[in-house]
Amino acid sequence: MSAITGIFHLNEEPIDIEHGGDLMEVLQEYPADVTHIWHKKNIFLGCHAQWITPESVGERLPCYDYERQLAITADAIIDNRNELFERLQVEHTYRKGMSDSTLILLAYQKWGEETPKYLVGDFAFMIWDERKHRLFGARDFSGSRTLYFHNNHNRFSFCTTIKPLLSLPYVEKRLNEQWLAEYLAITGMFDTVDASITPYKHIEQVPPSHCILVEKNKVMLRRYAYVTPEKKLKLGSNQEYVEAFQSIFQEAVISRLRTYKQVGAQLSGGLDSGAVVSFAAKSLRMENKKLYTLSYIPPDDFKDFTPKYLMPNETPFIQSTVKYVGNITDYYYDFKEKNSYSEIEDFLNVMEMPYKFFENSFWLKGMFEEAYKKQIGVLLNGDRGNFTISWGSALDYYARLLKKFKWLRLYQELNQYSEKVKGDKLRNLKLIGRIGFPVINKIFPQGTSFKFPRLINPVFAERTGIFKKIKEQGLDETGAYPIGDDFEQRIRHFEDVFYWNASNTLAAKLSLRYSLWKRDPTNDLRVVRFCLSLPEEQYVQDGLDRALIRRSTENLLPDDIRLNQSIYGVQGTDWVHRMIPFWNEYVEELQQLKSDQDVLEFLDGQVIEAALLKAEEGPRPEYAINPDFKTLMRSLIVYRFIKTFA
């Protein structure tokens, strides 16, 4: 991954080259194979380049094309190269060594502002069009690369990370209270409902699926694409669907193996990462290359408190996949010396903002550290698989059959499903009824309804009008849509870009720090569109949930993984256990927090006080799933971040 940056003076005032130097100097905290700059009177472009693909080795970025009078700086790996070569009629002799940035430039020459629609891959780029005297850029559909900018009408600047922009003398570092209000009000895992804002008052970002145009004293953001297909795919048989999926997924995996370094993969005991690994290992075998898998496991002294159907230590399933697939060198890491508390400061430095996934923070970063040591250039994962290749909730699908009066099929499916999961058919039928007709839950409530504690100070919430804004988006306070089944929720997941920022910001910034590229074939645009186009019955069939990937990995994954519907891997349940040696220090800092009036302007002190009473009693590993303790950790992360503005 590379870091790109630049300055454009819209009033044609000459750029002070020292300001460009300031941007590049801050980027020096990251490793680089080479750094270059390009500038003219009122435009400056820079690139802190990390070579990942064979075509990127020796590439000079920023690059200026004298014939076309275009300059580009790019952080990009383009996956549909062959398709673009044909569309752009690139001569065969030039194709093999052509860099991805040159390919983007050729695409821009042909399609102009429509260029991002034709690109498949992970990218953020900026193009200086000298003839039209404008700056044009874009971020890929899911925001796999970050792209921030500052604009004060006359001076526009951009960068892959935030800190370089704050080094400019005319950019003031101030807390963006609107961002913080959204972050605190939403109890779910994403950050904000406005995908263009950041925690810094004067720094914005290009949202996923958006392009940016800077010209004539204007900065314009525009969404360039939607991934939801208009029509459903209709094939003649189940086997045809399997073959079509295998073909498109294999293409997605192969295009992500393009590196002159080693190829690694994060491997758990589940279907998503298992599918990625099985397709990748098979392809690499043909190149006489090994696949290196990295897996996270709890430390030896962790005592499992979870139910029998959950598996914190997935080693048996991982080893089953490794043995069956072959061509894999596997590594297992317990990161015994790391924990969620001790990593806060460094993680805030990496993220440049608060984060909510603290349970897994230490091992997610640890994976990058270990991959870097092994000279891995591409680290595969299957993070988006739950919404694409392995999607398909059986009970939600059965609820749809119930509502559509397809009772014979429901009866047949429910019989097979109950047999496979060893479940009670009557109990499952009751669950299906509650899913299909939510009004039942209101008339006949079952158990105690629990809500994650609100972390935001009510006065702050009222002042910012945050709950009204969230409601206008059609969301409840958790950040979820209050009505609709799993099928409807999935569509909204791909229609609304704000879901994508948090997880992809993490991947992009860890990639930059460790000079490698995290890549997800389950998030390939071609795979996403294919999966969204399939009929619902392809995902739940013959009593199998996630039926498409289960059928498509026959003879690729072992059956104990492929057909498993009873045991689920669960990561991060050891986060409290790991913090036991730091518990007193952790509680002392929380006690300081609850007395800090500057921070309590934003946080609800009563919520923190109530949760802290439990923490003062001492640590217990099972507190890992207790919302009060999650609330305390989120509060502490925000507390540390706010203090950086003092």
Side-chain angles (χ1 to χ4, degrees), residues 8 10 70 108 111-114 116 125-139 147 149-151 153 156 158 205-207 210-224:
F8 175 34
L10 284 75
L70 299 172
Y108 177 79
W111 295 305
E113 293 177 42
E114 300 301 305
F125 64 84
M126 279 290 193
I127 294 173
W128 169 244
D129 189 328
E130 194 161 35
R131 287 173 178 163
K132 296 182 178 179
H133 203 72
R134 69 183 188 184
L135 199 59
F136 174 79
R139 192 174 170 202
L147 188 57
F149 66 91
H150 165 79
N151 175 49
H153 303 296
F156 174 88
F158 68 89
Q205 64 181 321
V206 179
H210 280 65
C211 58
I212 185 169
L213 182 64
V214 188
E215 67 173 348
K216 297 178 181 178
N217 294 322
K218 292 183 180 180
V219 176
M220 293 162 281
L221 290 171
R222 175 177 61 86
R223 184 164 185 172
Y224 62 79

Side-chain angles (χ1 to χ4, degrees), residues 1-252:
M1 159 148 184
S2 299
I4 61 174
T5 191
I7 303 172
F8 175 34
H9 284 179
L10 284 75
N11 60 1
E12 300 194 12
E13 176 188 345
I15 289 174
D16 186 337
I17 195 61
E18 289 186 5
H19 294 168
D22 291 339
L23 295 173
M24 297 299 290
E25 183 177 355
V26 179
L27 289 175
Q28 288 181 11
E29 70 175 88
Y30 305 106
D33 291 294
V34 68
T35 62
H36 288 295
I37 63 171
W38 176 89
H39 63 94
K40 284 194 172 182
K41 178 184 174 184
N42 66 325
I43 181 74
F44 169 91
L45 300 177
C47 185
H48 193 83
Q50 297 175 347
W51 297 336
I52 302 294
T53 67
E55 298 83 7
S56 68
V57 177
E59 177 185 18
R60 186 180 181 92
L61 280 173
C63 169
Y64 181 73
D65 187 314
Y66 288 92
E67 179 183 348
R68 299 175 177 85
Q69 291 184 272
L70 299 172
I72 186 172
T73 187
D75 172 26
I77 294 184
I78 303 301
D79 295 321
N80 62 330
R81 286 167 59 89
N82 292 333
E83 176 193 358
L84 292 173
F85 287 146
E86 293 298 321
R87 282 178 173 267
L88 298 169
Q89 298 181 335
V90 176
E91 292 184 24
H92 285 272
T93 53
Y94 296 127
R95 294 183 179 185
K96 185 176 181 181
M98 182 175 286
S99 69
D100 291 330
S101 59
T102 300
L103 196 51
I104 294 171
L105 214 55
L106 293 178
Y108 177 79
Q109 183 191 22
K110 181 176 179 64
W111 295 305
E113 293 177 42
E114 300 301 305
T115 294
K117 292 182 180 180
Y118 296 91
L119 305 178
V120 176
D122 302 340
F123 59 81
F125 64 84
M126 279 290 193
I127 294 173
W128 169 244
D129 189 328
E130 194 161 35
R131 287 173 178 163
K132 296 182 178 179
H133 203 72
R134 69 183 188 184
L135 199 59
F136 174 79
R139 192 174 170 202
D140 66 74
F141 88 98
S142 67
S144 298
R145 306 294 94 184
T146 48
L147 188 57
Y148 302 99
F149 66 91
H150 165 79
N151 175 49
N152 69 351
H153 303 296
N154 291 324
R155 289 175 291 198
F156 174 88
S157 51
F158 68 89
C159 193
T160 298
T161 59
I162 295 172
K163 279 181 281 188
L165 297 176
L166 296 174
S167 73
L168 295 172
Y170 47 81
V171 181
E172 182 185 2
K173 182 181 179 181
R174 284 181 56 195
L175 179 66
N176 186 345
E177 293 188 1
Q178 185 62 43
W179 185 97
L180 184 61
E182 294 188 27
Y183 180 90
L184 294 175
I186 296 168
T187 58
M189 289 303 294
F190 67 94
D191 294 343
T192 64
V193 293
D194 186 342
S196 68
I197 61 176
T198 77
Y200 301 87
K201 181 71 173 177
H202 302 294
I203 307 292
E204 299 175 70
Q205 64 181 321
V206 179
S209 296
H210 280 65
C211 58
I212 185 169
L213 182 64
V214 188
E215 67 173 348
K216 297 178 181 178
N217 294 322
K218 292 183 180 180
V219 176
M220 293 162 281
L221 290 171
R222 175 177 61 86
R223 184 164 185 172
Y224 62 79
Y226 291 84
V227 300
T228 307
E230 296 180 359
K231 296 181 180 179
K232 290 290 184 182
L233 179 66
K234 294 183 179 180
L235 300 178
S237 67
N238 279 339
Q239 186 57 32
E240 288 184 38
Y241 283 107
V242 166
E243 291 172 359
F245 169 78
Q246 289 175 332
S247 175
I248 200 165
F249 190 60
Q250 185 69 63
E251 183 181 11

Side-chain angles (χ1 to χ4, degrees), residues 378-634:
V378 166
L379 184 63
L380 302 173
N381 69 93
D383 288 354
R384 197 66 60 185
N386 283 339
F387 293 94
T388 57
I389 68 170
S390 72
W391 182 80
S393 162
L395 296 183
D396 282 271
Y397 176 63
Y398 298 157
R400 288 206 156 199
L401 294 180
L402 178 66
K403 289 193 291 185
K404 293 178 180 180
F405 301 103
K406 295 183 178 181
W407 294 343
L408 177 58
R409 181 163 185 182
L410 172 60
Y411 175 78
Q412 295 169 340
E413 281 282 344
L414 190 54
N415 274 341
Q416 295 179 80
Y417 177 77
S418 298
E419 183 179 339
K420 284 181 168 65
V421 301
K422 305 292 189 295
D424 180 84
K425 187 163 52 177
L426 181 59
R427 180 177 179 276
N428 286 331
L429 187 59
K430 290 179 179 178
L431 290 173
I432 292 166
R434 288 180 178 273
I435 294 171
F437 303 99
V439 69
I440 295 175
N441 295 309
K442 294 182 179 180
I443 300 173
F444 303 105
Q446 197 173 54
T448 303
S449 178
F450 176 80
K451 292 184 178 180
F452 199 95
R454 283 184 179 177
L455 192 51
I456 189 169
N457 183 318
V459 177
F460 179 48
E462 180 69 23
R463 173 160 61 84
T464 55
I466 185 55
F467 287 113
K468 180 181 178 181
K469 182 175 182 179
I470 292 174
K471 188 176 181 180
E472 287 172 350
Q473 292 288 330
L475 303 173
D476 63 22
E477 63 196 48
T478 68
Y481 292 98
I483 58 174
D485 60 15
D486 198 43
F487 291 79
E488 294 170 359
Q489 296 278 359
R490 181 199 194 202
I491 292 173
R492 297 304 298 263
H493 177 82
F494 287 102
E495 287 180 346
D496 296 326
V497 298
F498 54 75
Y499 285 114
W500 304 78
N501 265 335
S503 60
N504 284 331
T505 296
L506 169 67
K509 292 183 178 180
L510 284 177
S511 292
L512 180 60
R513 171 182 272 202
Y514 295 103
S515 192
L516 58 90
W517 204 293
K518 187 173 183 179
R519 308 224 62 207
D520 183 2
T522 70
N523 190 48
D524 183 286
L525 184 56
R526 297 161 294 191
V527 171
V528 171
R529 284 179 168 153
F530 175 83
C531 290
L532 290 175
S533 74
L534 296 185
E536 295 168 0
E537 56 267 21
Q538 284 301 310
Y539 290 105
V540 182
Q541 198 173 104
D542 300 327
L544 281 177
D545 60 9
R546 306 183 176 197
L548 176 68
I549 192 63
R550 296 186 195 277
R551 301 196 317 271
S552 299
T553 52
E554 187 172 6
N555 300 320
L556 293 172
L557 286 176
D559 283 353
D560 61 333
I561 305 299
R562 188 176 69 86
L563 301 178
N564 171 39
Q565 287 183 270
S566 57
I567 300 176
Y568 302 93
V570 55
Q571 297 167 329
T573 54
D574 59 340
W575 73 270
V576 170
H577 167 80
R578 290 172 175 272
M579 283 174 51
I580 290 175
F582 296 83
W583 201 258
N584 290 338
E585 182 181 342
Y586 166 64
V587 170
E588 286 175 8
E589 188 170 3
L590 285 168
Q591 289 169 339
Q592 294 172 12
L593 186 165
K594 75 171 186 177
S595 302
D596 191 321
Q597 295 305 313
D598 291 336
V599 175
L600 293 181
E601 175 187 349
F602 308 112
L603 301 177
D604 190 329
Q606 292 183 350
V607 169
I608 295 170
E609 183 90 39
L612 185 53
L613 289 174
K614 297 179 182 179
E616 289 171 342
E617 295 174 359
R620 293 169 58 183
E622 57 267 33
Y623 285 160
I625 58 175
N626 187 308
D628 286 320
F629 288 87
K630 294 187 177 187
T631 296
L632 290 175
M633 278 297 290
R634 287 190 183 185

